[in-house]
Amino acid sequence: MCNARPLYLHKKVTCPIHASILYIPSSSSSTSTSTKPNPLSTLKFLSSNRTTDPILSFFRKIPMATANGHSPPASRWSLHGMTALVTGGTRGIGLRSATVEELAGLGAKVHTCSRNEPELNECLQQWKAKGFSVSGSVCDVSSASEREKLVHEVASLYNGALNILVNNVGTNVRKPTTEYSTEEYLRLMSVNLESSYHLCQLAHPLLKQSGAGSVVFVSSVGGVLHIGSGSIYGLSKEFLSASGAINQLTKNLACEWAKDNIRTNCVAPWYTRTSLVEHLLEKKDFLQQIVARTPLQRIGEPNEVSSLVGFLCMPAASYITGQVISVDGGMTVNGFNPPINLD
Ligand SMILES: NC(=O)c1ccc[n+]([C@@H]2O[C@H](COP(=O)([O-])OP(=O)(O)OC[C@H]3O[C@@H](n4cnc5c(N)ncnc54)[C@H](OP(=O)(O)O)[C@@H]3O)[C@@H](O)[C@H]2O)c1
């Protein structure tokens, strides 16, 4: 049973898909009148239902025109007229000061989700106060039915077209490999890998319909190095296993979906100040080891990751696809760095 609950802040309309009441930002418009019960056929219907609204049509042309790199300089560095879905937007790298705000501040309309309704509501209030166009749903992305509901809500909100999907949600349990239970394995693979994979599948028609789609995965520097974060995290988020996972998926989709003008890239952070790792960063010895291993001599901040996410979604990045880019203060290029004046 899906219990994803949409939470919107401004205008009250009847949701065409679920026949329930949604609150959508007043600048959005809903043009669909579908009441079809079959979610997949509804998604197809929405995807092919291009708006006749002249203002929306005008904005849609901005990313389409820039897809080939021939666009006015200002619009190359803007997300105006674009729509985005960011998973896990209430804390950390997805947080109000990071990815959601980065994309909204660059002009995109953003929909986000998390599992904690009061926290999501609080974020939505703050975004509204800042003048950002952000809506949200309570959704556990580890549930297939909740993912489907989430994408249907996004299809309804954005008239079947989505420019940006940021697969940000991820979690970890750190243990020696021999101590993981089957349940822990399945949970980590479900949250870190299956959710992103399925959301890409579900969002593909919407990304294609936008005329210029962009998927950004958030993985980890563990994709290029062993960082002692646990082998399941490595396996699910990174490229330590032969079958690939997120970093390899970035490359596969870049090639497979290029014909649909959908770019896929991946940002790979090193230790970044978020709720996911705050308990580790409180351990002074461990923090010192991280800092010593990092040429820039500090951990990262969430907005130092979200700035790359924002750039990768811009028309200015229209020729960048299939890349895994580390945001790590130089950690992954730091092999052995002794003092130079040893003599
Ligand atoms: N922080 C780092 O040092 C670091 C380093 C490398 C990679 N990363 C990666 O960066 C990404 C973001 O991490 P973060 O540090 O920002 O994490 P975080 O501080 O734990 O925030 C995670 C966000 O995702 C939401 N979330 C978690 N599980 C969810 C689920 N099942 N369904 C829906 N929403 C969910 C959380 O809200 P609720 O809990 O309320 O649902 C929260 O908004 C992750 O993929 C992580 O692996 C982080």
Side-chain angles (χ1 to χ4, degrees), residues 16 82 98 101 114-115 121 145 154 178 236-237 249 305 307 310 318:
M82 296 201 197
E101 281 203 11
S114 76
R115 295 164 299 178
N121 267 328
S145 61
V154 168
T178 49
S236 59
K237 299 280 292 179
L249 181 61
V305 180
S307 52
S318 54

Side-chain angles (χ1 to χ4, degrees), residues 88-94 113-116 119 139-142 168-171 187 191 218-220 233 237 269-272 274-277:
T90 57
R91 289 199 310 280
I93 288 166
C113 71
S114 76
R115 295 164 299 178
N116 183 325
E119 193 174 34
C139 169
D140 182 344
V141 298
S142 66
N168 172 65
V169 167
T171 191
R187 173 81 188 146
V191 174
V218 181
S219 73
S220 164
Y233 188 75
K237 299 280 292 179
W270 173 227
Y271 276 96
T272 308
T274 72
S275 55
L276 183 68
V277 293

Side-chain angles (χ1 to χ4, degrees), residues 278-297:
E278 63 188 356
H279 62 291
L280 295 173
L281 302 178
E282 279 165 9
K283 299 178 201 298
K284 281 204 170 133
D285 288 354
F286 187 61
L287 179 60
Q288 270 172 6
Q289 285 185 49
I290 295 169
V291 169
R293 184 72 180 77
T294 309
L296 285 182
Q297 296 277 295

Side-chain angles (χ1 to χ4, degrees), residues 185 189 193 235 238-246 248-249 252:
Y185 173 87
M189 292 300 266
L193 177 60
L235 194 101
E238 300 144 9
F239 189 28
L240 300 181
S241 75
S243 60
I246 294 293
Q248 185 58 33
L249 181 61
N252 290 131

Side-chain angles (χ1 to χ4, degrees), residues 59-68 80-82 163 210-212 261 315:
F59 279 125
R60 287 247 176 92
K61 280 181 189 148
I62 294 175
M64 289 183 78
T66 54
N68 59 10
H80 271 287
M82 296 201 197
N163 295 102
S210 75
N261 207 17

